[in-house]
Every structure is written in structure tokens, then in C-alpha cells.
Amino acid sequence: MASGFNFGSLPSTTSATTVPTFSVPPCFNIATATRVFGASTTVTPSSTDDEPVLSTLRQINSARDTAVSSTDKEAKKPGFKFGTREKPSARKAESNSSGEDSIFPTLPAPWRSVEWTEEEKSDLLERLSSYTPSSRDIPQARVLLLGPVGSGKSSFISSAQSVFDGRVTTRAMVGHGASSSFTRKLQSFPLRARDGARDGARDSGRDRSRGYSTALVLCDMMGFGDEVLGGPTLQHMLSVIKGHAPEGYKFQADQALSSDTEGYVKRPGLREQMHCVAFVLDASKVRSCSYSKGISGTFQQLRRYISDMGVHQVVLLTHIDKICPETAKNTSEAYRSIFVRDTIYKAAELVGISVSSVVPVRNYWCELDLDLSSDVLLLRALDHILQYSELLFTEKNNSTSKD
């Protein structure tokens, strides 16, 4: 018999039934399988078979149903517990938030509390639109998005702006499927709100229908780990954070950013500097351990230097729909998904940052219409970023008052 799942002992009513085995990819979480299919379940991973985990789970579920229906109709009741000798009980089948039965491992309750409502979305939009930095003479909070090629930095900017616009739009030009970074230069994108303007913040004569710039600016730059162009160096990235790089600066791996660079800012003040850094990671690559040790080393080296500057960091975990089918169907399942939760922990370890600093997001990349749950997740990520930006302003204010 081929290597694969060994289901241990079946219920006594099905002991004579032959249950087929299924091979499991090496990345399958054995502990998760044990939680889902019963404590007595034995799981043996195959070292060669690369069949997707989700397909395997479907086969398991189908085999279970076949074994049950051929031996005991009583086992079809919701209380049937596969992989044990217990008699059927009153335990209900696990279901997602929409009430549908799910074969994918989910938590009984979300491990982070989120209100997936229009009211929550409106409150977040209002808070972000009316935000004003607490630091004197700082008109906007500048946030730098840093990450490997293809992690979703530009898509996050466009997705965030889409929520403010009320429709899917493209603010930052986005590439797809390439090993080379589509973004080549430093670009700043102030998020624009469309419904009116803050008191005193609108220029005289500005068209109200065009909206106004909020006090949150997302800055995009070339992704690192570029296989073709080499990508920005550590010196490039740190110079951008310190505020030396001019708007539109084009990155070239063999040319350092120095005082000889056109537009170089020799003595940047707090308003030119970055006030928060958001590391952007592709959840599917984190989960599959596709990021190299070099990428992890770059993140952790950056964190040491950036922390020394007093700039706080967060992690945006993109593409969560690629690692969990339940979340792909319904974004509000994000914090009930074991796949998403475990990947958040992996991302924190990869970057060397606390789990509380990692937030999942679902960018708009193929959709034509907005989704409420995706909007809420994006807005919560922006709110999280602003909280970290405010930490810098508060610390600077306290330092100034002591002087």
C-alpha cells in the first residue's frame, strides 16, 4: 500500500471497511490534521508527492463519507466523529461564518476581533480622512512600503485608494508575474478622500468632487531581490528612510545615492523623513517558505538600522486569498483561518518582529467591484500604520519638550 494517511482505528461500525490512503505534501501541517480529523489520526507525509494539500483534504472527506454510508446510516448524523471509537454525539459539523460546512481547518472563534460592517468601514474612513499628525509643522505622515519583488506594494496602494474612491481603481502602476520589479523609482501617493474636505484643509477654489489629499502618504519604491536589475541596496533604502532621496529618484544597483545625486536632500528634516516603514510580504511565499535566507537577512538587517532611527515598522501580509480557500470565498474568515494565523506567525519570525505588528490584507488585483470585508481589512491596516506613525511623533514631541 502506498505511503500516505493512516487513519488509525475507525469506528467499530466501519472496522471492516477498507479506507484508501492519500499521499501528503511535505509542507502539510501534521498537528493541524490531527486537530481536524481526531486525536487518534496518524499522518505520514510523503517526501516525493507534491499533490496540493487542499485536494488531499477533499479526498479524505469523500473517503470518510463513502465508508460511513456503506456501513452505518447512523454515522451520517452531524455527531459522527471520524478517527475515533466514540459513538456519534450531538457535536455539529464545523462550519464557516456563512453557515456552510467546511472541510478546511478553522478556529471556533476569530483570534482577533473585527466588525465586518458598513458602520465599521465608515468609522475607519472618517478617522483616516480626518487624521492630522500630532507633531508640529508635520503636514503628513509618510509611510514607506518595502518588500521583495512581487509582494504587492503597488497593489496595496491602489487597493487602499480604491476604498476611498468607492470603486476599484489603479493609483500606482502594477506589474504581474515578472521576476523584475515594475516600480523603478521613488513615488509618493497621498491618499485622497472624495467626500468633502476637512475644515480648513481644502485649497480655495478646489473642485469638491475631486476630493482632497489626506494626511497619509504611501511611498512606493523598487522591490529588492530583483533577479534582473539587482534592486535597491541597503544604502539606498536607508537613505530613502532618512529623507535624502528626492521624489522620482530612479534606483540603480551600481550607483549609490549620494550628495552628487541630482536633487539629493543634504539636511532632511522630520517632514522629509519616513515616519513608518511597512514591510510587505506575499503570504503564499511565506507559507511555502519560498523566501530565501538572504531575503530574511535583509529584513532583519533593515529592522536593526531602522529601529536605531526611532522609526517603527509593521508587516502587511498580502495574498491571503491564495493560502486559504475559505478566506478566498469570504475575507471575513481571515481571523478564523488556521492557515492565515499560522502564516502570520511565520511572517513575524521571518522579519524578526512581534506578531501584533503583522496584519493581513487582501488587495484588489482581478476584481472589478469592491468587497466590504476586504475594505475593512485594508482600512484597518492603514489605521494600524497611522498608530505606529503617531508613536514616532509622540516620541519626538516628548524629546523636544524635555529640551
Side-chain angles (χ1 to χ4, degrees), residues 58-80:
R58 292 191 184 93
Q59 293 179 61
I60 295 167
N61 202 52
S62 176
R64 181 197 65 184
D65 293 341
T66 301
V68 170
S69 63
S70 64
T71 56
D72 192 346
K73 293 182 179 180
E74 183 69 18
K76 288 185 178 180
K77 294 182 178 180
F80 179 68

Side-chain angles (χ1 to χ4, degrees), residues 159-372:
S159 298
Q161 186 60 63
S162 293
V163 183
F164 280 87
D165 288 346
R167 59 187 178 86
V168 177
T169 58
T170 300
R171 183 77 188 276
M173 297 298 291
V174 178
H176 178 68
S179 60
S180 180
S181 179
F182 187 83
T183 303
R184 304 289 177 83
K185 58 185 180 180
L186 177 64
Q187 292 179 284
S188 300
F189 297 93
L191 288 179
R192 297 184 62 81
R194 64 189 180 110
D195 295 327
R198 293 169 299 171
D199 292 339
R202 186 164 63 95
D203 294 338
S204 176
R206 180 182 296 176
D207 183 357
R208 188 181 181 87
S209 65
R210 294 179 57 190
Y212 63 95
S213 294
T214 69
L216 176 58
V217 180
L218 301 179
C219 302
D220 196 11
M221 66 173 287
M222 188 178 189
F224 54 82
D226 194 308
E227 297 176 6
V228 179
L229 302 174
T233 64
L234 180 64
Q235 186 268 344
H236 282 136
M237 291 184 276
L238 295 177
S239 294
V240 170
I241 296 168
K242 292 176 180 177
H244 291 298
E247 180 71 13
Y249 172 75
K250 192 171 183 178
F251 297 92
Q252 298 183 48
D254 58 347
Q255 293 184 13
L257 180 59
S258 67
S259 56
D260 295 330
T261 302
E262 183 178 357
Y264 182 83
V265 182
K266 293 183 179 180
R267 296 181 179 83
L270 184 58
R271 65 167 57 203
E272 287 84 26
Q273 299 170 14
M274 297 298 166
H275 307 128
C276 180
V277 172
F279 296 121
V280 186
L281 291 173
D282 181 338
S284 64
K285 292 184 178 180
V286 173
R287 182 163 180 79
S288 63
C289 304
S290 298
Y291 284 129
S292 66
K293 290 183 178 179
I295 292 290
S296 177
T298 298
F299 276 123
Q300 299 196 23
Q301 191 175 16
L302 276 168
R303 268 191 42 76
R304 287 194 294 271
Y305 282 108
I306 297 171
S307 297
D308 286 343
M309 298 178 198
V311 178
H312 297 273
Q313 307 112 56
V314 300
V315 173
L316 301 178
L317 192 63
T318 64
H319 300 304
I320 58 172
D321 50 312
K322 291 184 178 180
I323 64 171
C324 177
E326 290 299 317
T327 302
K329 290 192 296 183
N330 187 352
T331 307
S332 67
E333 291 293 311
Y335 287 124
R336 288 192 68 223
S337 168
I338 291 177
F339 293 149
V340 174
R341 184 198 62 181
D342 290 351
T343 306
I344 288 175
Y345 276 82
K346 279 188 175 183
E349 182 179 1
L350 176 71
V351 177
I353 202 169
S354 66
V355 173
S356 62
S357 299
V358 183
V359 290
V361 294
R362 182 174 181 177
N363 291 337
Y364 291 110
W365 63 280
C366 67
E367 298 84 355
L368 298 178
D369 300 302
L370 296 181
D371 169 71
L372 174 60

